[in-house]
Amino acid sequence: MSMATTSIFTQILSTATRSFGAVVGFSLVGFWLVMAVIGPFVSPHDANAFVSYDVFGPMTSEFPLGSDYLGRDMLSRILHGTPYTIGVALMATVSACVAGVVSGLIAAANSGWIDATISRTQDALISIPSKMFALIMVASFGSSVPLLIITAAIAYMPGSFRIARSLAVNVMTLDFIQVARLRGESTPYIIFKEVLPNMFRPVLTDFGLRFVFIVLLLSSMSFLGLGIQPPEADWGSLVRENILGLGEGAPAVIAPAVAIATLTIGVNLLIDSLGVKPDHEKEH
């Protein structure tokens, strides 16, 4: 990791200690990231075990989030679904942003037919609504975790490309880039050593936004029954399978919706904190 990247991470952590919203966001995101790793191991019951005679049971000391439509423990179901909700979305976001940023840097560094070819290809992809594209892919190839990752990555790669390319084009006009060219530095060196570190903060912000979009896309696909398939479940499918309990205010349908909300709110608070400069930057 370069010194510039390390400095940005240090500034972000410094900002998180000064902003209440950033602290809340960091806490929420950190909690769910930890649960994505250890959640299935600390759940009180097996996710598919019928442990209660009450359907849409209330919150009790034994079942803190109640029971679902089959008498399964909702806390265990949510903890087991966390790796699917966060893990699949995170892998799709990383794939989308890496592909988008790299192609954006290549397009910005190579004007002419290379830039035109990459840009027109990305324009064609971005013209397709993400949900429509996901529905077409699932209808054509069936639902699976690898397909959901690939579909979400392709759907959101063009947006990442456009932001990365616009940022890179602006950086390419700066004097230190011209100096690097005069020194005879190669294009890969200029792209990854000179340009990328100077656009890391907005790229990181875009990464957070795309993660939220992909979480909502995958949750909506699961709500329609086209995402993670039984017996496994993510938070979107947990809402769908317990939707009949909404009329009676069952925790089984409210809890996974709250989980989605807290994750997206936490990420958005972190994204907002990236635009807040630490005190030592404000003085200059």
Side-chain angles (χ1 to χ4, degrees):
M1 184 179 292
S2 66
M3 292 183 63
T5 303
T6 304
S7 175
I8 291 173
F9 276 120
T10 302
Q11 293 173 12
I12 293 172
L13 291 176
S14 175
T15 301
T17 62
R18 292 175 169 84
S19 168
F20 175 75
V23 172
V24 173
F26 184 82
S27 301
L28 290 172
V29 173
F31 170 78
W32 285 123
L33 288 176
V34 171
M35 289 300 104
V37 177
I38 69 172
F41 303 103
V42 300
S43 63
H45 303 282
D46 182 85
N48 295 310
F50 305 109
V51 294
S52 174
Y53 291 107
D54 289 331
V55 174
F56 296 128
M59 292 184 289
T60 63
S61 57
E62 184 178 3
F63 306 113
L65 297 180
S67 57
D68 72 353
Y69 74 111
L70 292 177
R72 296 172 294 189
D73 177 38
M74 273 309 297
L75 176 60
S76 300
R77 297 281 288 167
I78 289 176
L79 291 177
H80 279 269
T82 303
Y84 287 100
T85 300
I86 295 180
V88 174
L90 190 59
M91 286 187 285
T93 307
V94 170
S95 301
C97 288
V98 169
V101 170
V102 171
S103 58
L105 289 170
I106 293 174
N110 298 276
S111 59
W113 69 269
I114 295 179
D115 182 15
T117 301
I118 297 175
S119 297
R120 298 298 79 76
T121 302
Q122 299 290 348
D123 289 343
L125 289 174
I126 205 171
S127 66
I128 306 174
S130 58
K131 288 184 175 62
M132 182 181 296
F133 179 73
L135 290 173
I136 293 172
M137 292 290 288
V138 171
S140 301
F141 303 104
S143 180
S144 65
V145 171
L147 180 72
L148 292 173
I149 293 173
I150 293 171
T151 299
I154 294 175
Y156 285 98
M157 175 181 63
S160 180
F161 163 81
R162 298 181 86 176
I163 290 177
R165 183 186 176 279
S166 63
L167 290 169
V169 167
N170 290 332
V171 175
M172 286 286 185
T173 62
L174 299 179
D175 292 340
F176 67 91
I177 299 296
Q178 306 307 319
V179 171
R181 291 186 186 278
L182 292 174
R183 291 201 310 264
E185 303 291 357
S186 64
T187 299
Y189 177 90
I190 293 175
I191 289 176
F192 295 105
K193 293 293 185 179
E194 300 287 353
V195 178
L196 185 58
N198 287 282
M199 49 184 277
F200 188 77
R201 185 189 287 267
V203 166
L204 188 62
T205 302
D206 179 65
F207 178 89
L209 285 172
R210 286 197 196 282
F211 176 76
V212 172
F213 295 154
I214 290 176
V215 166
L216 296 177
L217 172 66
L218 296 177
S219 296
S220 63
M221 292 293 291
S222 293
F223 184 79
L224 295 174
L226 301 174
I228 302 297
Q229 298 298 303
E232 308 300 339
D234 64 352
W235 295 344
S237 57
L238 290 178
V239 175
R240 175 183 58 83
E241 66 187 24
N242 293 290
I243 195 66
L244 292 178
L246 185 61
E248 54 192 272
V253 67
I254 297 174
V258 171
I260 295 172
T262 55
L263 176 63
T264 55
I265 289 171
V267 174
N268 278 301
L269 288 173
L270 274 183
I271 292 171
D272 290 342
S273 73
L274 296 182
V276 179
K277 293 185 177 181
D279 293 342
H280 67 273
E281 291 187 7
K282 294 179 181 178
E283 294 173 357
H284 292 79

